[in-house]
């Protein structure tokens, strides 16, 4: 019998938010599929949100958390992100590290 793995569900990583003020609709760069709870950075060169990468010069500052899964994309896609005033469950975030946790402090995103 094969084992199935269920990815995180839409918004499952959220503990609390301040309604719509916590969310934004942003442009996500083309790329591989991303799970709900993916930590994102704003790439000022491309002017798009991309998966957070602490080792990158342009994607090394955590700026938001992806609200719902994003399928693989060949073009820029509009997505909902949580970008401020929220409480999230750290073990359900993809790409979270100590630096991203610190970056979220200035956005008032509390990681539990």
């Amino acid at each position: 019998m094969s084992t199935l793995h269920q990815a995180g569900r839409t918004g499952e990583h959220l503990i609390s938010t301040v309604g719509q003020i916590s969310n934004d609709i942003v442009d996500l760069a083309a790329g591989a599929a991303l799970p709900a709870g993916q930590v994102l950075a704003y790439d000022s060169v491309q002017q798009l949100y991309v998966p957070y990468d602490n080792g990158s010069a342009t994607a090394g500052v955590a700026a938001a958390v992806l609200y719902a899964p994003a399928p693989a994309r060949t073009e820029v896609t509009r997505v909902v992100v949580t970008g401020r005033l929220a409480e999230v469950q750290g073990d359900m975030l993809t790409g979270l590290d100590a630096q991203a946790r610190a970056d979220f402090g200035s956005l008032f995103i509390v990681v539990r």
Side-chain angles (χ1 to χ4, degrees), residues 15-42:
I15 297 171
S16 66
T17 63
V18 184
Q20 292 301 315
I21 201 167
S22 296
N23 298 327
D24 291 310
I25 298 174
V26 302
D27 292 326
L28 181 64
L34 299 174
Q38 172 71 49
V39 177
L40 300 175
Y42 182 73

Side-chain angles (χ1 to χ4, degrees), residues 33-52:
L34 299 174
Q38 172 71 49
V39 177
L40 300 175
Y42 182 73
D43 184 332
S44 58
V45 173
Q46 296 183 64
Q47 297 185 348
L48 299 170
Y49 280 78
V50 297
Y52 167 76

Side-chain angles (χ1 to χ4, degrees), residues 18-106:
V18 184
Q20 292 301 315
I21 201 167
S22 296
N23 298 327
D24 291 310
I25 298 174
V26 302
D27 292 326
L28 181 64
L34 299 174
Q38 172 71 49
V39 177
L40 300 175
Y42 182 73
D43 184 332
S44 58
V45 173
Q46 296 183 64
Q47 297 185 348
L48 299 170
Y49 280 78
V50 297
Y52 167 76
D53 177 4
N54 190 12
S56 169
T58 60
V61 177
V65 179
L66 188 61
Y67 180 73
R73 304 156 313 285
T74 58
E75 298 179 0
V76 173
T77 304
R78 305 277 288 164
V79 296
V80 175
V81 299
T82 302
R84 72 189 71 74
L85 299 172
E87 186 178 17
V88 296
Q89 191 170 336
D91 63 352
M92 298 188 83
L93 299 183
T94 301
L96 181 69
D97 62 13
Q99 184 58 51
R101 187 181 291 260
D103 294 342
F104 282 152
S106 66

